[in-house]
Amino acid sequence: MKRLEPALFKIKTPAQAQQFMDANRAFARYYLQRQPANEKELAGGLPQLATNAAFQQLGRETAAAFPDSTAFTKDLGELFRRVHYYFPDFRVPPTVTYVSGFLNKDIYVNDSLLVLSLDWFVGPKASKRPDLPQYMLRRYTPTGLLPMLAQNVSSKYNRHELTANTVLDAMVHAGKSLYFASKVLPCAPDSLLMGYTGRELAGLEDNEARVWGHFLEKNLLYATTPFLLQKYVGERPNVPEIDKTCPGRVGQWVGLQIVRKYVAEHPEVSLARLMAEKDAQRMLNESHYRPKRQ
């Protein structure tokens, strides 16, 4: 893992910015979207950013939130080792950390590069935070980084029929991603994987049958309207249609429970086979998922 922050904060001129991009070509190409048409603009913008007082303060806060590169590299290595265990073809891309000032993605990953913009994950004490609602910001902490990364990595293996656009399809697809994260981060609790408070998670666990009953009674599983997908699976502070205390993305949590029940019923199914399964209806049927009211 290479930390680019020290080199970034030394940039004072366009020429130094050019040297920085030349020294980190894959990063400049994929993450900064460097190309001949915007080369001059980037070379001029990086010094302005690097010498900005508020940005420098954010850089210091990021360094304080992620002080131990050795421990962080070890945690990353453990995650990637588990991915490779389940998917032997997995190759760890060159990994860099950066401070983007929220001008670029929080996490960027492809086969050639992994960028972790650490300033996104400094947490609630930061002087500047991403422009997101509070219920989403809860996930942007140092401990929230690896679960989010694991779900990003899962997209490489999480197969999905392009024509599958029901609420059930979205629930199971998200559930597979969360299950993948739980396997490569076995010590991460569900509250961290989901970004829920302990109380929110306990409320769902205690009322699982009621939550599932809502999906059945309202005939939601086979709905295809984007409005309903967003309401039950997408980002939202809560889902008052179920209960005012029901957290957003509840469909993702239910999807995780369906996937876990499917795996319990089919212990012979490897993680690779699970992630390759495209048929959400088959997974639901063969999971025999029927939570009982307590």
Side-chain angles (χ1 to χ4, degrees), residues 127-150:
S127 55
K128 301 275 186 211
R129 299 209 71 193
D131 186 18
L132 295 171
Q134 183 57 40
Y135 65 90
M136 292 176 67
L137 283 177
R138 274 207 315 244
R139 309 205 289 279
Y140 284 93
T141 62
T143 55
L145 172 54
L146 289 184
M148 213 174 283
L149 172 60

PDB file of all heavy atoms in Angstrom, residues 127-150:
ATOM      1  N   SER A 127     -13.303  18.300  10.642  1.00  0.00           N
ATOM      2  CA  SER A 127     -13.722  19.693  10.430  1.00  0.00           C
ATOM      3  C   SER A 127     -14.617  19.822   9.203  1.00  0.00           C
ATOM      4  O   SER A 127     -15.468  20.713   9.132  1.00  0.00           O
ATOM      5  CB  SER A 127     -12.494  20.600  10.283  1.00  0.00           C
ATOM      6  OG  SER A 127     -11.644  20.129   9.239  1.00  0.00           O
ATOM      7  N   LYS A 128     -14.416  18.948   8.226  1.00  0.00           N
ATOM      8  CA  LYS A 128     -15.267  18.890   7.030  1.00  0.00           C
ATOM      9  C   LYS A 128     -15.690  17.446   6.824  1.00  0.00           C
ATOM     10  O   LYS A 128     -14.893  16.527   7.043  1.00  0.00           O
ATOM     11  CB  LYS A 128     -14.514  19.357   5.781  1.00  0.00           C
ATOM     12  CG  LYS A 128     -13.979  20.778   5.849  1.00  0.00           C
ATOM     13  CD  LYS A 128     -15.019  21.772   5.450  1.00  0.00           C
ATOM     14  CE  LYS A 128     -14.428  23.175   5.390  1.00  0.00           C
ATOM     15  NZ  LYS A 128     -15.405  24.200   5.731  1.00  0.00           N
ATOM     16  N   ARG A 129     -16.940  17.270   6.386  1.00  0.00           N
ATOM     17  CA  ARG A 129     -17.436  15.915   6.122  1.00  0.00           C
ATOM     18  C   ARG A 129     -18.095  15.879   4.751  1.00  0.00           C
ATOM     19  O   ARG A 129     -18.492  16.919   4.211  1.00  0.00           O
ATOM     20  CB  ARG A 129     -18.439  15.478   7.198  1.00  0.00           C
ATOM     21  CG  ARG A 129     -17.824  15.443   8.599  1.00  0.00           C
ATOM     22  CD  ARG A 129     -18.490  14.410   9.469  1.00  0.00           C
ATOM     23  NE  ARG A 129     -18.157  13.051   9.062  1.00  0.00           N
ATOM     24  CZ  ARG A 129     -18.806  11.964   9.496  1.00  0.00           C
ATOM     25  NH1 ARG A 129     -19.817  12.089  10.338  1.00  0.00           N
ATOM     26  NH2 ARG A 129     -18.448  10.767   9.098  1.00  0.00           N
ATOM     27  N   PRO A 130     -18.221  14.687   4.170  1.00  0.00           N
ATOM     28  CA  PRO A 130     -18.895  14.608   2.869  1.00  0.00           C
ATOM     29  C   PRO A 130     -20.308  15.179   2.935  1.00  0.00           C
ATOM     30  O   PRO A 130     -20.956  15.152   3.997  1.00  0.00           O
ATOM     31  CB  PRO A 130     -18.922  13.099   2.587  1.00  0.00           C
ATOM     32  CG  PRO A 130     -17.837  12.523   3.438  1.00  0.00           C
ATOM     33  CD  PRO A 130     -17.765  13.378   4.657  1.00  0.00           C
ATOM     34  N   ASP A 131     -20.777  15.680   1.826  1.00  0.00           N
ATOM     35  CA  ASP A 131     -22.108  16.288   1.750  1.00  0.00           C
ATOM     36  C   ASP A 131     -23.156  15.182   1.603  1.00  0.00           C
ATOM     37  O   ASP A 131     -23.709  14.958   0.522  1.00  0.00           O
ATOM     38  CB  ASP A 131     -22.172  17.267   0.578  1.00  0.00           C
ATOM     39  CG  ASP A 131     -23.489  18.032   0.539  1.00  0.00           C
ATOM     40  OD1 ASP A 131     -24.187  18.060   1.580  1.00  0.00           O
ATOM     41  OD2 ASP A 131     -23.826  18.588  -0.524  1.00  0.00           O
ATOM     42  N   LEU A 132     -23.403  14.506   2.713  1.00  0.00           N
ATOM     43  CA  LEU A 132     -24.353  13.389   2.738  1.00  0.00           C
ATOM     44  C   LEU A 132     -25.248  13.538   3.962  1.00  0.00           C
ATOM     45  O   LEU A 132     -24.845  14.155   4.963  1.00  0.00           O
ATOM     46  CB  LEU A 132     -23.606  12.049   2.833  1.00  0.00           C
ATOM     47  CG  LEU A 132     -22.727  11.638   1.654  1.00  0.00           C
ATOM     48  CD1 LEU A 132     -21.906  10.414   2.017  1.00  0.00           C
ATOM     49  CD2 LEU A 132     -23.592  11.353   0.421  1.00  0.00           C
ATOM     50  N   PRO A 133     -26.440  12.950   3.943  1.00  0.00           N
ATOM     51  CA  PRO A 133     -27.300  12.986   5.130  1.00  0.00           C
ATOM     52  C   PRO A 133     -26.654  12.238   6.307  1.00  0.00           C
ATOM     53  O   PRO A 133     -25.835  11.328   6.108  1.00  0.00           O
ATOM     54  CB  PRO A 133     -28.580  12.270   4.675  1.00  0.00           C
ATOM     55  CG  PRO A 133     -28.494  12.166   3.193  1.00  0.00           C
ATOM     56  CD  PRO A 133     -27.065  12.243   2.817  1.00  0.00           C
ATOM     57  N   GLN A 134     -27.069  12.590   7.511  1.00  0.00           N
ATOM     58  CA  GLN A 134     -26.465  12.017   8.710  1.00  0.00           C
ATOM     59  C   GLN A 134     -26.599  10.492   8.748  1.00  0.00           C
ATOM     60  O   GLN A 134     -25.669   9.788   9.165  1.00  0.00           O
ATOM     61  CB  GLN A 134     -27.117  12.631   9.962  1.00  0.00           C
ATOM     62  CG  GLN A 134     -26.514  12.170  11.279  1.00  0.00           C
ATOM     63  CD  GLN A 134     -25.021  12.430  11.374  1.00  0.00           C
ATOM     64  OE1 GLN A 134     -24.541  13.470  10.938  1.00  0.00           O
ATOM     65  NE2 GLN A 134     -24.277  11.486  11.930  1.00  0.00           N
ATOM     66  N   TYR A 135     -27.740   9.968   8.298  1.00  0.00           N
ATOM     67  CA  TYR A 135     -27.933   8.514   8.362  1.00  0.00           C
ATOM     68  C   TYR A 135     -26.968   7.769   7.444  1.00  0.00           C
ATOM     69  O   TYR A 135     -26.677   6.594   7.674  1.00  0.00           O
ATOM     70  CB  TYR A 135     -29.389   8.134   8.045  1.00  0.00           C
ATOM     71  CG  TYR A 135     -29.840   8.436   6.630  1.00  0.00           C
ATOM     72  CD1 TYR A 135     -29.692   7.506   5.610  1.00  0.00           C
ATOM     73  CD2 TYR A 135     -30.442   9.652   6.322  1.00  0.00           C
ATOM     74  CE1 TYR A 135     -30.106   7.778   4.319  1.00  0.00           C
ATOM     75  CE2 TYR A 135     -30.872   9.941   5.041  1.00  0.00           C
ATOM     76  CZ  TYR A 135     -30.699   9.012   4.039  1.00  0.00           C
ATOM     77  OH  TYR A 135     -31.111   9.285   2.760  1.00  0.00           O
ATOM     78  N   MET A 136     -26.432   8.431   6.425  1.00  0.00           N
ATOM     79  CA  MET A 136     -25.407   7.827   5.575  1.00  0.00           C
ATOM     80  C   MET A 136     -24.006   8.084   6.138  1.00  0.00           C
ATOM     81  O   MET A 136     -23.137   7.216   6.062  1.00  0.00           O
ATOM     82  CB  MET A 136     -25.509   8.364   4.146  1.00  0.00           C
ATOM     83  CG  MET A 136     -26.761   7.932   3.413  1.00  0.00           C
ATOM     84  SD  MET A 136     -26.915   8.683   1.772  1.00  0.00           S
ATOM     85  CE  MET A 136     -25.551   7.917   0.893  1.00  0.00           C
ATOM     86  N   LEU A 137     -23.799   9.268   6.714  1.00  0.00           N
ATOM     87  CA  LEU A 137     -22.492   9.600   7.282  1.00  0.00           C
ATOM     88  C   LEU A 137     -22.083   8.638   8.393  1.00  0.00           C
ATOM     89  O   LEU A 137     -20.888   8.460   8.637  1.00  0.00           O
ATOM     90  CB  LEU A 137     -22.507  11.028   7.828  1.00  0.00           C
ATOM     91  CG  LEU A 137     -22.406  12.164   6.813  1.00  0.00           C
ATOM     92  CD1 LEU A 137     -22.504  13.513   7.510  1.00  0.00           C
ATOM     93  CD2 LEU A 137     -21.114  12.071   6.005  1.00  0.00           C
ATOM     94  N   ARG A 138     -23.062   8.026   9.055  1.00  0.00           N
ATOM     95  CA  ARG A 138     -22.740   7.077  10.132  1.00  0.00           C
ATOM     96  C   ARG A 138     -21.807   5.974   9.656  1.00  0.00           C
ATOM     97  O   ARG A 138     -21.043   5.414  10.437  1.00  0.00           O
ATOM     98  CB  ARG A 138     -24.028   6.419  10.654  1.00  0.00           C
ATOM     99  CG  ARG A 138     -24.739   7.178  11.724  1.00  0.00           C
ATOM    100  CD  ARG A 138     -25.548   6.250  12.621  1.00  0.00           C
ATOM    101  NE  ARG A 138     -26.307   5.253  11.907  1.00  0.00           N
ATOM    102  CZ  ARG A 138     -27.639   5.182  11.891  1.00  0.00           C
ATOM    103  NH1 ARG A 138     -28.355   6.077  12.547  1.00  0.00           N
ATOM    104  NH2 ARG A 138     -28.252   4.236  11.247  1.00  0.00           N
ATOM    105  N   ARG A 139     -21.870   5.632   8.376  1.00  0.00           N
ATOM    106  CA  ARG A 139     -21.030   4.546   7.850  1.00  0.00           C
ATOM    107  C   ARG A 139     -19.616   5.024   7.505  1.00  0.00           C
ATOM    108  O   ARG A 139     -18.732   4.212   7.286  1.00  0.00           O
ATOM    109  CB  ARG A 139     -21.675   3.928   6.601  1.00  0.00           C
ATOM    110  CG  ARG A 139     -23.132   3.533   6.823  1.00  0.00           C
ATOM    111  CD  ARG A 139     -23.583   2.427   5.899  1.00  0.00           C
ATOM    112  NE  ARG A 139     -23.725   2.799   4.520  1.00  0.00           N
ATOM    113  CZ  ARG A 139     -24.784   3.421   3.990  1.00  0.00           C
ATOM    114  NH1 ARG A 139     -25.793   3.784   4.764  1.00  0.00           N
ATOM    115  NH2 ARG A 139     -24.840   3.677   2.702  1.00  0.00           N
ATOM    116  N   TYR A 140     -19.446   6.351   7.420  1.00  0.00           N
ATOM    117  CA  TYR A 140     -18.152   6.902   7.005  1.00  0.00           C
ATOM    118  C   TYR A 140     -17.282   7.201   8.223  1.00  0.00           C
ATOM    119  O   TYR A 140     -17.116   8.350   8.643  1.00  0.00           O
ATOM    120  CB  TYR A 140     -18.372   8.145   6.132  1.00  0.00           C
ATOM    121  CG  TYR A 140     -18.806   7.772   4.740  1.00  0.00           C
ATOM    122  CD1 TYR A 140     -20.151   7.689   4.398  1.00  0.00           C
ATOM    123  CD2 TYR A 140     -17.866   7.456   3.768  1.00  0.00           C
ATOM    124  CE1 TYR A 140     -20.547   7.310   3.118  1.00  0.00           C
ATOM    125  CE2 TYR A 140     -18.243   7.085   2.491  1.00  0.00           C
ATOM    126  CZ  TYR A 140     -19.588   7.012   2.168  1.00  0.00           C
ATOM    127  OH  TYR A 140     -19.971   6.630   0.905  1.00  0.00           O
ATOM    128  N   THR A 141     -16.752   6.132   8.784  1.00  0.00           N
ATOM    129  CA  THR A 141     -15.846   6.193   9.927  1.00  0.00           C
ATOM    130  C   THR A 141     -14.658   5.271   9.628  1.00  0.00           C
ATOM    131  O   THR A 141     -14.725   4.458   8.694  1.00  0.00           O
ATOM    132  CB  THR A 141     -16.551   5.692  11.199  1.00  0.00           C
ATOM    133  OG1 THR A 141     -16.925   4.317  11.005  1.00  0.00           O
ATOM    134  CG2 THR A 141     -17.808   6.516  11.506  1.00  0.00           C
ATOM    135  N   PRO A 142     -13.582   5.345  10.411  1.00  0.00           N
ATOM    136  CA  PRO A 142     -12.462   4.433  10.162  1.00  0.00           C
ATOM    137  C   PRO A 142     -12.869   2.961  10.168  1.00  0.00           C
ATOM    138  O   PRO A 142     -12.403   2.181   9.328  1.00  0.00           O
ATOM    139  CB  PRO A 142     -11.494   4.764  11.307  1.00  0.00           C
ATOM    140  CG  PRO A 142     -11.734   6.219  11.571  1.00  0.00           C
ATOM    141  CD  PRO A 142     -13.227   6.386  11.411  1.00  0.00           C
ATOM    142  N   THR A 143     -13.760   2.567  11.087  1.00  0.00           N
ATOM    143  CA  THR A 143     -14.175   1.158  11.136  1.00  0.00           C
ATOM    144  C   THR A 143     -15.145   0.804  10.014  1.00  0.00           C
ATOM    145  O   THR A 143     -15.347  -0.376   9.718  1.00  0.00           O
ATOM    146  CB  THR A 143     -14.836   0.818  12.488  1.00  0.00           C
ATOM    147  OG1 THR A 143     -15.919   1.737  12.717  1.00  0.00           O
ATOM    148  CG2 THR A 143     -13.847   0.902  13.630  1.00  0.00           C
ATOM    149  N   GLY A 144     -15.742   1.810   9.380  1.00  0.00           N
ATOM    150  CA  GLY A 144     -16.673   1.542   8.287  1.00  0.00           C
ATOM    151  C   GLY A 144     -16.007   1.347   6.941  1.00  0.00           C
ATOM    152  O   GLY A 144     -16.649   0.903   5.983  1.00  0.00           O
ATOM    153  N   LEU A 145     -14.702   1.648   6.870  1.00  0.00           N
ATOM    154  CA  LEU A 145     -14.007   1.591   5.581  1.00  0.00           C
ATOM    155  C   LEU A 145     -13.935   0.181   5.016  1.00  0.00           C
ATOM    156  O   LEU A 145     -14.300  -0.067   3.858  1.00  0.00           O
ATOM    157  CB  LEU A 145     -12.600   2.185   5.734  1.00  0.00           C
ATOM    158  CG  LEU A 145     -11.646   2.042   4.534  1.00  0.00           C
ATOM    159  CD1 LEU A 145     -12.262   2.587   3.259  1.00  0.00           C
ATOM    160  CD2 LEU A 145     -10.323   2.751   4.821  1.00  0.00           C
ATOM    161  N   LEU A 146     -13.464  -0.786   5.808  1.00  0.00           N
ATOM    162  CA  LEU A 146     -13.269  -2.136   5.270  1.00  0.00           C
ATOM    163  C   LEU A 146     -14.598  -2.801   4.870  1.00  0.00           C
ATOM    164  O   LEU A 146     -14.654  -3.452   3.818  1.00  0.00           O
ATOM    165  CB  LEU A 146     -12.492  -3.000   6.262  1.00  0.00           C
ATOM    166  CG  LEU A 146     -11.010  -2.629   6.423  1.00  0.00           C
ATOM    167  CD1 LEU A 146     -10.304  -3.620   7.356  1.00  0.00           C
ATOM    168  CD2 LEU A 146     -10.290  -2.574   5.093  1.00  0.00           C
ATOM    169  N   PRO A 147     -15.686  -2.689   5.657  1.00  0.00           N
ATOM    170  CA  PRO A 147     -16.954  -3.244   5.186  1.00  0.00           C
ATOM    171  C   PRO A 147     -17.411  -2.652   3.858  1.00  0.00           C
ATOM    172  O   PRO A 147     -17.920  -3.363   2.989  1.00  0.00           O
ATOM    173  CB  PRO A 147     -17.931  -2.898   6.314  1.00  0.00           C
ATOM    174  CG  PRO A 147     -17.076  -2.825   7.530  1.00  0.00           C
ATOM    175  CD  PRO A 147     -15.782  -2.234   7.060  1.00  0.00           C
ATOM    176  N   MET A 148     -17.205  -1.346   3.688  1.00  0.00           N
ATOM    177  CA  MET A 148     -17.598  -0.721   2.425  1.00  0.00           C
ATOM    178  C   MET A 148     -16.709  -1.219   1.283  1.00  0.00           C
ATOM    179  O   MET A 148     -17.184  -1.474   0.172  1.00  0.00           O
ATOM    180  CB  MET A 148     -17.521   0.799   2.559  1.00  0.00           C
ATOM    181  CG  MET A 148     -18.559   1.516   1.732  1.00  0.00           C
ATOM    182  SD  MET A 148     -18.599   3.301   2.003  1.00  0.00           S
ATOM    183  CE  MET A 148     -19.439   3.392   3.563  1.00  0.00           C
ATOM    184  N   LEU A 149     -15.416  -1.367   1.571  1.00  0.00           N
ATOM    185  CA  LEU A 149     -14.492  -1.891   0.565  1.00  0.00           C
ATOM    186  C   LEU A 149     -14.869  -3.316   0.173  1.00  0.00           C
ATOM    187  O   LEU A 149     -14.880  -3.664  -1.013  1.00  0.00           O
ATOM    188  CB  LEU A 149     -13.057  -1.847   1.084  1.00  0.00           C
ATOM    189  CG  LEU A 149     -12.008  -2.544   0.214  1.00  0.00           C
ATOM    190  CD1 LEU A 149     -11.943  -1.937  -1.181  1.00  0.00           C
ATOM    191  CD2 LEU A 149     -10.630  -2.502   0.889  1.00  0.00           C
ATOM    192  N   ALA A 150     -15.190  -4.140   1.161  1.00  0.00           N
ATOM    193  CA  ALA A 150     -15.550  -5.537   0.883  1.00  0.00           C
ATOM    194  C   ALA A 150     -16.758  -5.608  -0.040  1.00  0.00           C
ATOM    195  O   ALA A 150     -16.805  -6.430  -0.965  1.00  0.00           O
ATOM    196  CB  ALA A 150     -15.824  -6.274   2.185  1.00  0.00           C
TER     197      ALA A 150
END
